[in-house]
């Protein structure tokens, strides 16, 4: 297991089979942004169907983006709401940060997850749906409580761990989604909330 605490901004966090870069803190005032999103967005409980069983999560979501960019995962379709001015501004800010790294991204959607406390998490999964393309670029911005984020290789089971702070941005690209899963682990030590904004490009014509 690799434990990563303070990587350089341009270092690849993964040892092989993928690319993940940590851009550090990219939001100057993350606390007001966190409060704005918690109080103003139409959060809904997520519905996930796994192995024939449907679960309603305490984690809440908002799916936001361009018109007609619905997203299908875990057996359900998430309906798109239009960009808010705040999230649209964050999107352009992050696209510029990635361009500085040499990654030309033009995101048309964002999945926002709200974890009310450390007892809310997300199990191992890969963002490998067909409509994301073969080598998706996914930028994930964290706001609120610091939480443990874990990558696990699908074949070797090797793990890479990092702790995501408020305002911190990581970008997953290359073959990452093909070879690695990732999760937000649960913990009783964290009592405050966290929001993740995962910006991505959806290709509707790629749906089966």
């Amino acid at each position: 297991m690799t434990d990563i605490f303070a990587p350089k901004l341009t270092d690849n966090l993964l040892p092989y089979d993928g690319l993940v870069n940590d851009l550090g803190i990219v939001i100057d005032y993350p606390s007001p942004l966190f409060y704005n999103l918690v109080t103003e967005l139409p959060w809904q409980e997520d519905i996930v169907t796994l192995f024939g069983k449907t679960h309603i999560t305490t984690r809440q979501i908002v799916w936001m983006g361009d018109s007609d960019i619905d997203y299908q995962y875990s057996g359900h379709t998430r309906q798109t709401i239009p960009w808010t001015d705040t999230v649209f501004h964050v999107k352009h800010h992050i696209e510029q940060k990635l361009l500085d790294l040499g990654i030309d991204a033009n995101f048309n959607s964002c999945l926002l997850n709200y974890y009310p406390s450390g007892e809310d998490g997300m199990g191992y999964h890969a963002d490998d749906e067909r409509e994301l393309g073969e080598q998706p670029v996914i930028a994930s911005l964290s706001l609120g409580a610091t939480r443990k984020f874990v990558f696990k290789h699908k074949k070797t089971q090797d793990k890479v761990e990092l702790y995501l702070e408020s305002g911190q941005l990581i970008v997953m690209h290359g073959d990452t989604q093909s070879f690695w899963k990732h999760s937000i682990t649960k913990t009783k030590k964290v009592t405050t909330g966290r929001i993740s904004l995962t910006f991505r490009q959806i290709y509707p014509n790629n749906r089966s």
Side-chain angles (χ1 to χ4, degrees):
M1 179 182 294
T2 303
D3 203 356
I4 297 177
F5 294 99
K8 295 179 181 179
L9 295 183
T10 56
D11 286 349
N12 182 13
L13 304 187
L14 301 180
Y16 49 85
D17 289 345
L19 293 168
V20 176
N21 299 106
D22 178 6
L23 280 72
I25 306 299
V26 300
I27 300 295
D28 292 333
Y29 302 102
S31 293
L33 177 57
F34 174 84
Y35 179 79
N36 175 286
L37 298 179
V38 167
T39 57
E40 295 186 6
L41 294 186
W43 297 101
Q44 297 181 346
E45 296 170 326
D46 199 9
I47 301 175
V48 177
T49 299
L50 296 172
F51 307 110
K53 293 185 178 181
T54 298
H55 308 271
I56 298 177
T57 69
T58 54
R59 172 180 51 83
Q60 299 179 54
I61 66 165
V62 170
W63 177 246
M64 188 179 296
D66 298 349
S67 60
D68 301 322
I69 304 292
D70 296 339
Y71 187 35
Q72 303 174 24
Y73 70 91
S74 300
H76 298 271
T77 299
R78 279 71 183 176
Q79 302 296 324
T80 312
I81 69 168
W83 295 105
T84 64
D85 290 342
T86 298
V87 178
F88 194 71
H89 175 76
V90 172
K91 179 182 90 80
H92 280 293
H93 179 65
I94 287 176
E95 288 171 342
Q96 185 57 55
K97 291 292 183 182
L98 296 190
L99 192 60
D100 293 341
L101 193 65
I103 301 173
D104 188 5
N106 183 21
F107 300 119
N108 63 5
S109 51
C110 179
L111 178 62
L112 298 95
N113 288 282
Y114 173 48
Y115 305 83
S117 75
E119 296 191 57
D120 305 288
M122 185 179 291
Y124 283 107
H125 67 284
D127 297 319
D128 56 1
E129 291 79 16
R130 180 176 295 185
E131 59 261 46
L132 292 173
E134 293 184 2
Q135 291 187 321
V137 176
I138 299 176
S140 180
L141 175 69
S142 294
L143 297 170
T146 298
R147 294 291 297 272
K148 186 178 180 180
F149 192 97
V150 183
F151 290 96
K152 182 170 71 172
H153 196 275
K154 295 179 181 180
K155 294 182 179 179
T156 67
Q157 306 300 303
D158 282 345
K159 292 183 180 179
V160 174
E161 300 178 356
L162 60 155
Y163 288 85
L164 297 178
E165 301 179 12
S166 190
Q168 186 172 353
L169 177 68
I170 63 170
V171 56
M172 301 175 281
H173 52 124
D175 290 328
T176 300
Q177 305 303 327
S178 296
F179 291 97
W180 295 83
K181 295 183 178 182
H182 52 276
S183 75
I184 292 289
T185 62
K186 296 181 180 181
T187 175
K188 293 183 178 180
K189 296 180 179 180
V190 177
T191 59
T192 55
R194 171 186 182 262
I195 293 175
S196 67
L197 299 87
T198 52
F199 294 91
R200 56 195 74 197
Q201 177 78 23
I202 294 287
Y203 300 93
N205 293 335
N206 286 2
R207 290 174 181 153
S208 56

